[in-house]
């Protein structure tokens, strides 16, 4: 893979007197110059509201916004750009389905199936939706290797299950979930599948059509794009039948003092002035990722996972969670020590310029189920190196010397 570090100006800064080692990519990734430049260019040359004006700037801005939609549609292998809805991010995308699709398609006594490795954003919206209609929520359990097996999914499926909402990749265990097999199983029984792709879209080559899911949600900021924008992809047929979730300017065909009729999809789902620069920035991000090649990124991360798993195993008293095999994970490893709090380890690492995440990582039910107080999560991306992981490993040993 080409040397990408020079594309990320932030990697040149120091933190607490040491070169920054940024290993908190599962929380948010850094942004390459191309993405930031594109956003600046948008504001300097094209800024104007979209879908509203007939003047040149508005037309150019609309072209950029819709151009970004096409880039993202191609990036995830959607059938067409009308299936791409811009949202604030994964959380909003999942809430939208729970708020609008669930009441129209599920009834009292139906079951929504989640898994035990879910992020809070893929639990709470369903809890609230289920509460409102009297549906039930059941959970698919991970096995001892932190994996979701198809046998376990089969066990949980019944005639009452109407929707499975599941992560494509875990933000704590790193586990890659067999979405394609789950979709096949579900669709044979008429069950819909919603995928939380927040931790997968940055790392894996996604093709929503070959995965066979019905909904796919992801966030720009975890995949080199700006914050405040994300995507909800859904099959066109589903979107055409779905009630808009917000009402106002930009999403209508006709309005009278009495009522209103909606514009075509996807515009009917984007009421009000959208985050145009965000969409344009995400378009630049997926272009950057495609130019590097998702396969190259994946191979680089597997290399780093192998290297780090080996290195961490040497550390006395460490407990690593998630799959033991590097190729069954995305780019992250979480671990803990009995009697040493993860925040203390992260604090010592921070004094060395190393950024990692500590705590529950918005997956409290999983931590409670595993009976783990909290974990340190090291998450890497295309710009991280083995040299950085060596510094991390020395940093963890230093932290243990201080804290033990
Ligand atoms: C698996 C998973 N789902 C959902 C989210 C929520 O993403 P966002 O905060 O961008 O909406 C995250 C963020 O960490 C995540 O890791």
């Amino acid at each position: 893979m080409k040397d990408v570090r020079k594309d990320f100006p932030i990697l040149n800064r120091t933190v607490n007197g040491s070169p920054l080692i940024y290993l908190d990519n599962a929380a948010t990734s850094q942004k390459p110059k191309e993405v930031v430049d594109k956003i600046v260019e948008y504001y300097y040359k094209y800024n104007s509201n979209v879908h509203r004006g007939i003047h040149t700037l508005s037309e150019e801005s609309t072209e950029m916004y819709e151009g970004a939609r096409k880039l993202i549609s191609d990036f995830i292998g959607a059938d067409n750009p009308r299936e791409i809805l811009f949202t604030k991010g994964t959380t909003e995308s999942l809430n939208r389905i729970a708020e609008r699709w669930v009441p129209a398609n599920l009834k009292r006594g139906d079951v929504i199936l989640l898994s035990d490795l879910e992020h809070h954003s893929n639990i709470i919206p369903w809890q609230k939706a289920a509460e409102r209609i009297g549906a039930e929520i059941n959970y698919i359990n991970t096995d001892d290797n932190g994996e979701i097996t198809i046998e376990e999914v089969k066990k949980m499926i019944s005639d009452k299950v109407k929707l499975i909402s599941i992560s494509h990749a875990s933000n704590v265990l790193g586990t890659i979930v067999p979405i394609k097999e789950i979709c096949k199983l579900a669709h044979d029984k008429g069950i819909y599948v919603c995928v939380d792709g927040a931790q997968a879209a940055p790392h894996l080559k996604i093709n929503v059509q070959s995965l066979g899911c019905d909904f796919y949600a992801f966030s720009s900021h975890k995949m080199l794009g700006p914050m405040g924008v994300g995507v909800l992809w859904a099959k066109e047929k589903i979107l055409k039948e779905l009630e808009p979730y917000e009402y106002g300017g930009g999403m209508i065909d006709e309005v009278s003092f009495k009522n209103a009729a909606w514009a075509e999809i996807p515009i009917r789902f984007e009421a009000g002035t959208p985050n145009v620069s965000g969409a344009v920035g995400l378009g630049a991000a997926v272009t950057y990722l495609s130019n590097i090649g998702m396969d190259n990124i994946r191979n680089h991360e597997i290399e780093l996972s192998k290297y780090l798993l080996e290195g961490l195993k040497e550390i006395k008293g460490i407990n690593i969670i998630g799959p033991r095999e590097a190729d069954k994970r995305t780019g992250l490893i979480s671990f803990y020590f009995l009697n040493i709090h993860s925040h203390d380890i992260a604090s010592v690492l921070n004094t060395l310029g190393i950024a990692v995440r500590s705590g529950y990582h918005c997956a409290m039910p999983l931590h409670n189920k595993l009976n783990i107080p909290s974990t340190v999560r090291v998450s890497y991306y295309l710009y991280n190196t083995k040299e950085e992981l060596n510094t991390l490993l020395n940093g963890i040993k230093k932290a243990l010397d201080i804290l033990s």
Side-chain angles (χ1 to χ4, degrees), residues 164-183:
I164 301 176
S165 187
I166 193 158
S167 284
H168 195 171
S170 159
N171 69 319
V172 176
L173 303 170
T175 312
I176 299 170
V177 173
I179 296 296
K180 197 171 176 163
E181 291 78 357
I182 292 175
C183 289

Side-chain angles (χ1 to χ4, degrees), residues 230-396:
V231 170
L232 167 58
W233 168 84
K235 285 181 183 158
E236 184 163 357
K237 186 177 170 308
I238 294 178
L239 290 178
K240 279 190 163 158
E241 288 165 5
L242 196 63
E243 172 75 10
Y245 36 72
E246 274 185 341
Y247 305 98
M251 50 76 75
I252 52 89
D253 182 24
E254 271 186 30
V255 186
S256 72
F257 284 123
K258 255 191 156 165
N259 50 30
W262 315 136
E264 286 303 308
I265 63 161
I267 304 304
R268 77 169 70 143
F269 293 104
E270 294 174 3
T273 299
N275 181 355
V276 181
S277 65
V280 167
L282 175 56
V286 300
T287 303
Y288 182 92
L289 288 169
S290 301
N291 288 340
I292 300 291
M294 292 308 287
D295 290 342
N296 292 328
I297 293 171
R298 177 81 187 118
N299 290 336
H300 176 68
E301 287 174 3
I302 292 175
E303 271 299 301
L304 293 186
S305 291
K306 267 188 201 152
Y307 191 77
L308 187 55
L309 278 170
E310 285 308 312
L312 288 174
K313 274 185 216 152
E314 300 299 313
I315 297 176
K316 211 166 144 239
I318 198 165
N319 297 287
I320 301 170
I321 59 173
R324 285 177 273 277
E325 306 82 352
D327 61 354
K328 288 188 170 173
R329 295 170 167 268
T330 54
L332 69 89
I333 299 177
S334 303
F335 56 86
Y336 67 98
F337 295 91
L338 291 175
N339 307 323
I340 302 176
H341 201 282
S342 66
H343 289 336
D344 293 335
I345 297 189
S347 294
V348 175
L349 292 175
N350 185 49
T351 65
L352 306 171
I354 304 170
V356 296
R357 174 99 179 247
S358 52
Y360 287 118
H361 323 298
C362 296
M364 202 183 276
L366 175 68
H367 279 80
N368 286 343
K369 186 195 149 178
L370 295 173
N371 208 11
I372 299 171
S374 70
T375 49
V376 178
R377 181 180 70 188
V378 178
S379 56
Y380 28 93
Y381 208 4
L382 67 168
Y383 36 70
N384 291 114
T385 65
K386 285 185 182 167
E387 291 69 36
E388 288 182 313
L389 297 184
N390 284 336
T391 310
L392 168 79
L393 289 165
N394 288 331
I396 297 170

Side-chain angles (χ1 to χ4, degrees), residues 26 89-91 119 121 167 169 171 196 198-199 219 221-222:
T90 309
T91 304
H119 185 280
S121 290
S167 284
N171 69 319
D196 171 351
Q199 295 295 340
S219 302
H221 69 96
K222 294 184 195 287

